[in-house]
Amino acid sequence: MNKRSTQVFASLGLLLTAAVWGFAFVVVKDSLDYVGSVYMVAIRFSIAAIGLAIIFCKRLKKIDKKHLLMGGVTGLFLFLAYLVQTIGCSYTTAGKNAFLTTIYVILIPLIGWPLYQERPHWHVFVAAGLSLTGIGLLALGGDDISGINIGDILTLLCGLFFALHILWTEKCNKEGCDTIIITMLQFAFAAFFGWILAPLMDGAFPIVAIQTPKVVLSMLYLGLFSSMICFSLQNIGLKYVQSSLASLFLSFESVFGVLFSTIFLHETLTLKMAVGCALIFSAIVIAECLKKE
């Protein structure tokens, strides 16, 4: 398989990741009535870490100080992103939360430029601008966007952590770290941080949750598909797709989220949201077709 074909398959893997994450919005909706946000983070990443450890048990012997350090930082960024996003959503609307989170699409090339001395091509900024505009139309819909509150600030911080997570993952790949080991360790560390903070933020563990079949299936979906498989695809994809472009593919999660919400939750797709979907799709086409060979 040549380099171009590998990049195409890696890009498709990132789009698949976005689709699974998009459907996760539907899965999570009912589960939050039974499981606290921090416990949900701890449970999903525990399942993901254990799943990868079982599948790739032979690679565990490759874990050394370097992998522990790199995986620990990756896990910290991952955990902080989910933590502040969830807290922020408690103080602002879901639409503003979704829109402001995707600021990472712009932050990645901006942070990566001085950090790695790699100036993105002009079309990346054009595509990122289109993508951000599209996500804004898609997520905000008819919401009132006036005013800034603590939830908005926390959500912007979430976007920063997501950007740092993607950039650090790319750094791990460039330094020759084992992708599967890094993915496994980031899950383990994110789960560890979650189990420490969950009792303080969510209270006692919700025993009833693990006795509810629908919640159990939801946690398995989030742990195995939305976490274990998707983040593995993301980390592998980042080995072959530039991080600034990968973020555009991953931002397609918003499109899939609206699509699945419309189908399964019977939510209305307005004209403004449809235009947003079209802009995001256009951004991805521009990013893919004009990228440097």
Side-chain angles (χ1 to χ4, degrees):
M1 183 180 296
N2 57 38
K3 181 179 179 180
R4 179 59 180 172
S5 297
T6 301
Q7 290 178 336
V8 170
F9 278 105
S11 298
L12 290 175
L14 292 172
L15 283 176
L16 176 61
T17 296
V20 175
W21 281 343
F23 187 69
F25 285 111
V26 177
V27 176
V28 167
K29 191 173 181 63
D30 292 333
S31 300
L32 285 172
D33 294 332
Y34 301 90
V35 184
S37 300
V38 187
Y39 273 119
M40 185 175 294
V41 172
I43 293 172
R44 70 182 291 176
F45 288 129
S46 294
I47 294 174
I50 294 172
L52 275 186
I54 292 175
I55 296 173
F56 298 100
C57 57
K58 293 183 179 180
R59 297 201 185 192
L60 294 177
K61 61 183 179 181
K62 293 184 178 181
I63 297 179
D64 53 20
K65 291 183 178 179
K66 178 181 179 180
H67 280 88
L68 283 173
L69 175 61
M70 303 296 279
V73 175
T74 309
L76 178 61
F77 287 146
L78 181 67
F79 172 73
L80 289 175
Y82 275 90
L83 179 64
V84 296
Q85 181 189 50
T86 303
I87 298 175
C89 195
S90 300
Y91 296 97
T92 188
T93 65
K96 292 176 73 174
N97 187 253
F99 171 58
L100 294 174
T101 295
T102 54
I103 194 66
Y104 73 84
V105 175
I106 296 298
L107 291 178
I108 285 177
L110 294 180
I111 295 175
W113 186 356
L115 192 62
Y116 299 125
Q117 299 299 309
E118 296 180 359
R119 184 184 188 282
H121 294 170
W122 64 268
H123 70 273
V124 172
F125 291 100
V126 173
L130 282 174
S131 179
L132 192 59
T133 302
I135 292 172
L137 291 173
L138 180 65
L140 293 175
D143 291 339
D144 178 15
I145 61 174
S146 61
I148 293 291
N149 57 42
I150 184 62
D152 301 329
I153 296 174
L154 288 173
T155 307
L156 285 171
L157 186 60
C158 163
L160 173 62
F161 285 132
F162 273 128
L164 291 173
H165 174 263
I166 292 177
L167 286 169
W168 186 264
T169 300
E170 185 179 46
K171 178 179 175 62
C172 293
N173 291 330
K174 288 182 177 180
E175 293 195 5
C177 293
D178 186 293
T179 302
I180 297 299
I181 293 299
I182 291 296
T183 305
M184 187 190 310
L185 288 174
Q186 76 169 3
F187 292 154
F189 277 103
F192 174 72
F193 298 137
W195 287 117
I196 291 178
L197 288 183
L200 301 175
M201 300 183 68
D202 290 343
F205 181 78
I207 301 297
V208 176
I210 62 176
Q211 300 174 341
T212 306
K214 181 168 64 173
V215 175
V216 172
L217 289 176
S218 296
M219 293 301 100
L220 288 175
Y221 178 88
L222 294 176
L224 296 178
F225 291 94
S226 188
S227 298
M228 186 183 78
I229 294 178
C230 282
F231 277 102
S232 295
L233 288 175
Q234 173 189 275
N235 290 356
I236 292 173
L238 284 170
K239 293 185 68 173
Y240 306 104
V241 180
Q242 185 181 353
S243 58
S244 54
L245 296 179
S247 67
L248 293 173
F249 289 108
L250 295 175
S251 72
F252 214 70
E253 168 191 3
S254 297
V255 177
F256 287 114
V258 170
L259 175 63
F260 292 136
S261 295
T262 301
I263 295 175
F264 296 100
L265 301 179
H266 308 294
E267 295 183 355
T268 302
L269 179 64
T270 65
L271 177 60
K272 183 183 293 185
M273 296 167 71
V275 172
C277 292
L279 286 176
I280 295 173
F281 180 76
S282 298
I284 291 178
V285 171
I286 291 174
E288 178 65 17
C289 294
L290 297 183
K291 70 182 181 181
K292 185 178 180 180
E293 294 293 339

